[in-house]
Amino acid sequence: MASPITTTITLIFLFLLYSGEGKRTYIVRVKHSDKPESFSTHHDWYASQLQSISTDPLSQSESESESPLLYTYTTSFHGFSAFLDSDEAESLLSSDSILDVFEDPVYTLDTTRTPEFLGLNSEFGVASGYSGHASNGVIIGVLDTGVWPESKSYDDYGMPEIPSKWKGECESGPDFDSKLCNKKLIGARSFSKGFQMSSGGGFSTKRESVSPRDVDGHGTHTSSTAAGSAVTNASFLGYAAGTARGMATGARVATYKVCWSSGCFGSDILAAIDRAILDGVDVLSLSLGGGSAPYYRDTIAIGSFSAMEKGVFVSCSAGNSGPTRSSVANVAPWVMTVGAGTLDRDFPAYANLGNGKRLVGVSLYSGEGMGTKPLEMVYNKGNSSSSNLCLPGSLDPTTVRGKIVVCDRGVNARVEKGAVVRDAGGLGMVMANTAASGEELVADSHLLPAIAVGKKTGDLLREYIKSDSNPTAVLIFKGTVLDVRPSPVVAAFSSRGPNTVTPEILKPDVIGPGVNILAGWSDAIGPTGLDKDSRRTQFNIMSGTSMSCPHISGLAGLLKAAHPEWSPSAIKSALMTTAYNLDNTNSPLRDAADNSLSNPHAHGSGHVDPQKALSPGLVYDISTEEYIRFLCSLDYTVDHIVAIVKRPSVNCSKKFSNPGQLNYPSFSVLFGGKRVVRYTREVTNVGAANSVYTVVVGGAPSVGISVKPSKLAFRSVGEKKRYTVTFVSKKGVSLTNKAEYGSITWSNPQHQVRSPVAFSWNRF
């Protein structure tokens, strides 16, 4: 989702590899301890290594600015990135100090009412003895497209001085004055060397510049969602009017611009994580990702491991590739992987057909309406076989002029379809879902009167146009409605498990609000992201796991402020085990793709509940050593593990017998050829002393579950207790390519500590 015009506002990054001819960027992993004493810094050593293997005779006299060395990594990764040809990259591998060389991966972006929907208010947690002002000491770092510092979401009125732990800075640039930062927006940096090398050494559009300024809008939207100040009388062109504010209004924001017009490059992301850790952030929010890769080749997984080890909570978007199975991204167990759900707010619009029927849809259209005169409707009539999709150049103006055009959703951006219809002379559009999007409705601010409808409604509409000799309609827009039921519903675009890297770890972890989210916006671009959109607005409404991720980042900041002694895994556990699985009609969560019941491969542990997460009762804590035992249980070499944990050596003598033995707050049971799987977990009492919990098991039809002991008694706060779960696949069961689900809940009158369980009988 490199811009807000992508289908389903998919601002989650597709995992691509830059494959241009000649030189390209490589990431090089180095044996850190091998640096000769003759070099004062690792940077000098790396530069010398590159000079020694250069095939370019001019490089011997290169200045610093012309050096092939782009970044030196010291914290998130041991090594460097450099602009090399394939022969030079191959030459590096001949050195015993070079452990790995791989091409720079490219990621893409995964792209108000939410605080109330989540049960937050300006006095969050007061009843629990927590003052929200404590979050003034929390710093949330956001890796994205930069920031529009003039946005009211970064107003620092009434904020105390910047925490002394902050070591970052506000970088200046051609269009960015460092004085634009303040006590709310305390840091802004940009990282573009990897991107510039992929673009032939420069920038691909005139709008881009080497500065932290956000000319895309995505970064301003995500950072203001996480920790934006409260802004009264906010709306998007009259829609979703009210007070817009982030999850942690008292927290500080530090932005790291790593995303550009052609994506977010791994070399830039690693450099930003490296810097953010040194700057002193408490939370890192990354609304970007890509396809699955082993953890030792996943730059986000590698960088976030170092962050976790330093006590930094890392939240990442799950991806916008749903409802496709096994599409979830950012699956490292030390990362919080966030899917998307709906709010209880909607933007209804209707198509009143000539046959008397009213079709219900959604829209954010804000211009002049169509009046009351019915207009003729057309579908799949144009210059090519793609006219049903309303691709550029596919519509015949003589056929669509003055009419309402029905366009199938898919292939090109939803808002682009409206622009194509308008440019061909159409006066309105109905965008109809196909099977790929099911019944999911995402509202858009189209350039002409337009509404979106689900697949079933779309099928009725297509049939009406086909069978009626004079199909007509009037489009009507009804503004904003609240208390929509049911909600939340899992977004169809939200990426799904199972986890393809380690199936024994259930992903995504949770879902949060990610559909039609109002937040701050850049003044450099219109709300649709289209060049022809001349509108400017302080706020925009967007959808994607890019939007749900910063919600969880902000909530993690609140928990960090309330419980500064908690580790990132404890905060993650609190958010997971208190998540809910019933919607506001008290029914199980449903899936927007087909309106069926959702499951943990879609919603993880459930929808976050911040009030309950503040006091979870028990947490599943995980130490760095336990994560190393987890990595040792995978089919990785010691060198691969060292790449992730950044230690001189790793001892795998105490590795887990199964990756699922990690003390994770959820369970994913892969039977494979076995009938019995046994896991042991350890919980820490963070509730009251003298607490007693009893286990409640929710079983699956084909699996027997037993828990020993069935009761846990804690005498003191901080006390740890272990329990063992045995899962037995019943005889005669053959469930190839199918999954079942259950749950394990530790319960007392004050707390319900719930863990979902997913069962699979083969790997995928």
Side-chain angles (χ1 to χ4, degrees):
M1 252 181 334
S3 77
I5 65 171
T6 50
T7 312
T8 335
I9 311 189
T10 329
L11 287 171
I12 184 154
F13 290 95
L14 310 169
F15 199 87
L16 307 171
L17 287 177
Y18 175 70
S19 56
E21 292 298 320
K23 290 194 173 186
R24 62 198 68 179
T25 301
Y26 289 88
I27 295 175
V28 183
R29 186 162 63 86
V30 180
K31 195 177 294 184
H32 202 63
S33 58
D34 276 10
K35 181 182 73 68
E37 292 184 1
S38 56
F39 294 100
S40 58
T41 67
H42 281 84
H43 179 90
D44 293 342
W45 179 36
Y46 300 155
S48 175
Q49 286 179 302
L50 290 173
Q51 194 172 51
S52 69
I53 55 94
S54 176
T55 58
D56 182 358
L58 297 177
S59 68
Q60 303 298 321
S61 58
E62 283 173 332
S63 68
E64 181 75 16
S65 62
E66 297 169 329
S67 169
L69 180 60
L70 303 182
Y71 295 110
T72 295
Y73 307 114
T74 60
T75 305
S76 64
F77 185 77
H78 285 168
F80 60 91
S81 54
F83 196 55
L84 309 169
D85 61 35
S86 57
D87 290 338
E88 291 169 332
E90 192 70 28
S91 297
L92 278 175
L93 283 170
S94 63
S95 168
D96 292 338
S97 298
I98 304 298
L99 300 175
D100 198 7
V101 178
F102 55 96
E103 288 186 41
D104 195 6
V106 185
Y107 298 78
T108 57
L109 290 165
D110 287 333
T111 200
T112 196
R113 175 76 178 149
T114 13
E116 289 79 9
F117 182 69
L118 289 170
L120 299 179
N121 54 51
S122 58
E123 301 301 321
F124 169 57
V126 167
S128 305
Y130 164 62
S131 168
H133 294 301
S135 65
N136 286 329
V138 173
I139 302 167
I140 299 177
V142 181
L143 272 65
D144 213 296
T145 63
V147 65
W148 191 264
E150 294 86 356
S151 169
K152 293 179 181 178
S153 295
Y154 308 110
D155 184 2
D156 66 349
Y157 178 78
M159 294 197 75
E161 290 303 313
I162 296 170
S164 59
K165 67 180 179 181
W166 176 243
K167 307 301 180 190
E169 65 179 61
C170 199
E171 296 178 354
S172 60
D175 55 1
F176 198 96
D177 189 331
S178 62
K179 295 178 182 177
L180 289 168
C181 287
N182 55 24
K183 295 175 186 177
K184 161 60 76 173
L185 178 64
I186 64 172
R189 298 180 184 269
S190 71
F191 300 83
S192 62
K193 292 178 181 178
F195 162 66
Q196 289 191 64
M197 291 303 99
S198 79
S199 305
F203 288 93
S204 55
T205 71
K206 293 180 180 178
R207 275 194 306 146
E208 287 178 320
S209 65
V210 185
S211 90
R213 183 166 292 281
D214 179 14
V215 296
D216 178 273
H218 190 263
T220 301
H221 199 281
T222 55
S223 59
S224 61
T225 296
S229 300
V231 182
T232 58
N233 300 317
S235 73
F236 169 64
L237 303 175
Y239 286 96
T243 298
R245 61 189 186 87
M247 297 297 97
T249 54
R252 319 298 178 128
V253 175
T255 63
Y256 299 83
K257 183 175 179 179
V258 298
C259 299
W260 307 86
S261 59
S262 57
C264 318
F265 289 77
S267 55
D268 296 331
I269 292 169
L270 266 181
I273 295 176
D274 218 46
R275 190 64 255 175
I277 295 171
L278 295 171
D279 284 348
V281 301
D282 298 294
V283 175
L284 274 176
S285 188
L286 288 80
S287 288
L288 49 95
S292 297
Y295 300 131
Y296 57 85
R297 281 290 179 89
D298 182 339
T299 51
I300 292 177
I302 293 169
S304 60
F305 189 95
S306 297
M308 172 277 301
E309 198 169 13
K310 297 291 194 300
V312 179
F313 180 94
V314 182
S315 175
C316 293
S317 47
N320 294 350
S321 299
T324 303
R325 191 168 184 258
S326 298
S327 54
V328 64
N330 294 317
V331 296
W334 47 88
V335 164
M336 179 67 124
T337 309
V338 186
T342 63
L343 290 173
D344 61 346
R345 176 181 67 196
D346 213 349
F347 309 102
Y350 306 100
N352 290 343
L353 304 185
N355 63 4
K357 292 184 178 179
R358 167 177 275 199
L359 304 184
V360 180
V362 297
S363 180
L364 289 172
Y365 175 69
S366 61
E368 292 185 11
M370 296 183 61
T372 58
K373 180 183 177 182
L375 297 179
E376 184 181 346
M377 304 190 81
V378 294
Y379 171 67
N380 203 17
K381 290 185 178 180
N383 298 325
S384 69
S385 59
S386 61
S387 61
N388 64 307
L389 290 165
C390 300
L391 301 181
S394 66
L395 298 181
D396 182 356
T398 61
T399 304
V400 305
R401 186 175 292 115
K403 300 173 183 175
I404 297 174
V405 182
V406 176
C407 303
D408 289 345
R409 179 175 173 179
V411 182
N412 60 332
R414 300 185 305 274
V415 290
E416 184 182 55
K417 295 177 188 292
V420 169
V421 171
R422 188 191 69 167
D423 292 348
L427 294 183
M429 179 186 75
V430 178
M431 187 187 68
N433 284 3
T434 61
S437 300
E439 300 309 311
E440 173 187 69
L441 297 180
V442 179
D444 292 303
S445 55
H446 289 284
L447 296 175
L448 83 171
I451 73 172
V453 299
K455 179 184 181 299
K456 292 177 182 177
T457 301
D459 288 344
L460 291 173
L461 181 58
R462 296 178 190 102
E463 182 58 33
Y464 166 61
I465 295 173
K466 179 181 177 182
S467 60
D468 196 293
S469 60
N470 183 33
T472 63
V474 175
L475 303 185
I476 300 172
F477 306 93
K478 302 297 287 184
T480 306
V481 298
L482 303 177
D483 301 318
V484 172
R485 294 171 180 262
S487 63
V489 175
V490 179
F493 62 73
S494 189
S495 289
R496 313 301 168 92
N499 176 349
T500 59
V501 182
T502 38
E504 298 85 355
I505 301 295
L506 181 61
K507 292 285 184 171
D509 292 311
V510 293
I511 60 169
V515 178
N516 297 333
I517 304 301
L518 178 76
W521 192 245
S522 168
D523 198 47
I525 193 168
T528 63
L530 298 174
D531 290 338
K532 58 187 69 177
D533 188 352
S534 60
R535 298 173 297 176
R536 293 296 182 265
T537 177
Q538 294 182 25
F539 297 88
N540 199 3
I541 291 175
M542 300 181 72
S543 298
T545 54
S546 275
M547 282 63 253
S548 53
C549 170
H551 279 91
I552 275 59
S553 305
L555 297 181
L558 291 176
L559 293 183
K560 181 82 172 177
H563 302 285
E565 76 282 5
W566 281 8
S567 68
S569 59
I571 293 173
K572 181 177 179 179
S573 173
L575 288 165
M576 290 173 67
T577 62
T578 59
Y580 59 85
N581 287 264
L582 299 177
D583 61 29
N584 59 1
T585 69
N586 208 35
S587 301
L589 295 177
R590 304 197 80 87
D591 190 331
D594 55 8
N595 203 35
S596 64
L597 292 181
S598 182
N599 63 63
H601 279 141
H603 61 242
S605 294
H607 193 286
V608 289
D609 186 334
Q611 288 283 4
K612 288 186 177 178
L614 193 66
S615 178
L618 305 174
V619 295
Y620 294 80
D621 213 348
I622 307 174
S623 68
T624 301
E625 296 305 319
E626 288 173 289
Y627 281 123
I628 292 175
R629 292 175 66 188
F630 161 79
L631 290 169
C632 287
S633 71
L634 307 178
D635 292 328
Y636 289 178
T637 66
V638 171
D639 273 351
H640 288 155
I641 298 170
V642 167
I644 300 164
V645 306
K646 277 78 73 176
R647 298 186 178 187
S649 63
V650 170
N651 184 347
C652 281
S653 61
K654 294 183 179 180
K655 71 177 184 179
F656 294 133
S657 60
N658 181 308
Q661 288 285 6
L662 184 68
N663 199 42
Y664 214 65
S666 59
F667 294 83
S668 180
V669 179
L670 177 62
F671 285 110
K674 299 177 291 186
R675 282 193 56 225
V676 179
V677 173
R678 188 172 286 112
Y679 289 153
T680 297
R681 293 287 196 266
E682 181 181 76
V683 287
T684 303
N685 180 29
V686 295
N690 300 312
S691 297
V692 178
Y693 291 81
T694 303
V695 75
V696 178
V697 173
S702 304
V703 182
I705 306 174
S706 62
V707 180
K708 292 184 179 181
S710 59
K711 184 176 289 188
L712 297 175
F714 298 88
R715 293 183 179 179
S716 59
V717 178
E719 187 178 356
K720 300 177 184 291
K721 293 282 185 180
R722 290 190 170 197
Y723 68 91
T724 298
V725 192
T726 303
F727 305 101
V728 181
S729 177
K730 296 177 181 177
K731 288 184 178 180
V733 171
S734 178
L735 293 173
T736 304
N737 294 324
K738 293 195 177 177
E740 289 188 359
Y741 307 95
S743 63
I744 295 170
T745 305
W746 290 99
S747 176
N748 69 14
Q750 291 76 38
H751 303 286
Q752 307 289 315
V753 187
R754 184 181 184 279
S755 296
V757 187
F759 301 101
S760 301
W761 278 260
N762 61 352
R763 189 165 177 84
F764 301 122

